[in-house]
Amino acid sequence: MHNAPARLPVDGLLPFHVGEKQARDLVEKWVSGRWFAPSKFRKYRQIGAFSSLYTAYFTYDADTDTWYQGERGEDYQVRTGTDEDGDPIYETRTRWFPASGEVSNQFADLPVLANENLNRSRIRALEPWPVEEARSYSPEFVAGHLCRTYDNDAEQSLPEAQQRMEQAIESTVHAAIGGDRQIVHESNTSWNWLAYKHLLLPIWLLTVVYMDKPYQVYINGLTGEVSGDRPWSKIKIIALIVAVLVAIVAIILVYNGLHGHHSATSRTTVPRPPNTAPGHHN
């Protein structure tokens, strides 16, 4: 695939730093921490498939300048009255001022997964990737690992990269406007230059089929970051709810018992003095 004329060549890859034993230990720790996963799911060693995989990525570099026009809002407090206790009541109001200017953004190695049939949000959670450590492609790096070529080429992956860049540009504009609130009426971005690289990034992948549904856990092959899906055990959740309800009832009963004991009225009986004889004075 690397040498196929119809495919983009691989510009580089990040070799695995996390070995299989460490990866299994990381998954073991992650799965053990899923308290509400069914017990069978947690026995992943017997029912799961574990593999190392090089996934295809395109990383993008860009330099942008953005002109904007909007308004900066500055909040202030106005006393509007008093409450029942005589304390003042304040209302937040905003003064608006015109704001305009220009900001610049530089993007380096923004990664976009170029493979389908993988949970993109879960793999996004494995970021950041130390792309600066990428090495030139060589077949011995991928020997013994699954290796996928891209499903979406550089042009097809670009919209996701642009969307993430535009979100970052918007945040930069809001920060430049400043104040407590911002309104952007108009913005115009110039893309001065845009470049990409085709990289292979390492992932350990655990696939568990539970109740005829696949669940996948991903591990960053360099940093050891873990992200994945798991089923939920209804029995364990119901047991927790019951335990919480029992605890609440017990607390209420104890509280009522103590409250009733302290509020009980104590009663003292005073003996009646004996009758005294007529004419006798104490």
Side-chain angles (χ1 to χ4, degrees):
M1 285 299 184
H2 175 66
N3 297 318
R7 309 293 292 182
L8 293 169
V10 178
D11 296 309
L13 56 73
L14 290 171
F16 277 90
H17 286 182
V18 176
E20 181 175 353
K21 183 180 184 305
Q22 182 183 358
R24 287 188 178 276
D25 290 342
L26 289 168
V27 172
E28 177 76 29
K29 182 178 180 180
W30 186 88
V31 173
S32 298
R34 309 306 105 180
W35 302 108
F36 297 108
S39 299
K40 186 177 180 180
F41 174 80
R42 298 174 69 176
K43 298 177 182 178
Y44 75 97
R45 291 186 184 275
Q46 290 76 33
I47 61 176
F50 198 64
S51 58
S52 55
L53 169 68
Y54 274 105
T55 52
Y57 271 79
F58 287 103
T59 65
Y60 295 88
D61 303 336
D63 181 85
T64 65
D65 292 316
T66 302
W67 174 86
Y68 65 88
Q69 185 176 14
E71 296 180 63
R72 178 181 69 255
E74 297 181 356
D75 293 342
Y76 63 97
Q77 301 289 318
V78 175
R79 181 171 177 172
T80 58
T82 56
D83 59 17
E84 295 178 353
D85 298 325
D87 297 324
I89 299 175
Y90 292 95
E91 180 180 282
T92 301
R93 298 180 183 177
T94 306
R95 295 187 183 94
W96 292 97
F97 304 92
S100 61
E102 187 174 6
V103 297
S104 297
N105 287 79
Q106 289 77 40
F107 301 94
D109 296 320
L110 191 151
V112 175
L113 179 66
N115 291 132
E116 298 292 342
N117 302 321
L118 294 171
N119 190 319
R120 304 182 74 83
S121 63
R122 292 300 185 188
I123 293 184
R124 275 281 301 276
L126 300 181
E127 296 180 11
W129 293 93
V131 178
E132 65 278 0
E133 300 178 14
R135 303 176 65 175
S136 298
Y137 175 84
S138 183
E140 59 263 25
F141 285 125
V142 299
H145 305 286
L146 299 175
C147 187
R148 291 188 61 175
T149 186
Y150 57 84
D151 299 308
N152 302 319
D153 61 22
E155 184 177 358
Q156 292 169 322
S157 300
L158 178 58
E160 180 178 338
Q162 284 184 312
Q163 181 183 20
R164 293 174 63 180
M165 291 179 185
E166 288 168 356
Q167 291 173 349
I169 291 171
E170 182 179 357
S171 297
T172 304
V173 169
H174 279 256
I177 292 175
D180 300 303
R181 307 171 192 272
Q182 304 84 34
I183 296 177
V184 179
H185 295 303
E186 184 180 0
S187 66
N188 184 19
T189 298
S190 298
W191 298 79
N192 301 323
W193 59 271
L194 182 67
Y196 72 87
K197 292 188 289 290
H198 177 203
L199 300 180
L200 299 178
L201 303 184
I203 289 176
W204 286 98
L205 173 62
L206 167 69
T207 301
V208 177
V209 178
Y210 179 79
M211 300 292 288
D212 298 325
K213 182 179 178 180
Y215 294 88
Q216 293 183 318
V217 181
Y218 305 90
I219 305 173
N220 187 314
L222 283 97
T223 66
E225 184 69 28
V226 182
S227 175
D229 295 311
R230 52 80 182 274
W232 294 85
S233 171
K234 295 181 180 179
I235 294 177
K236 291 182 180 180
I237 293 175
I238 293 174
L240 175 65
I241 294 173
V242 171
V244 171
L245 292 176
V246 169
I248 292 174
V249 171
I251 291 172
I252 293 174
L253 292 176
V254 170
Y255 174 80
N256 287 341
L258 293 175
H259 183 72
H261 174 74
H262 288 298
S263 61
T265 303
S266 58
R267 184 176 178 183
T268 303
T269 302
V270 179
R272 183 178 178 182
N275 294 330
T276 56
H280 176 79
H281 300 281
N282 292 330

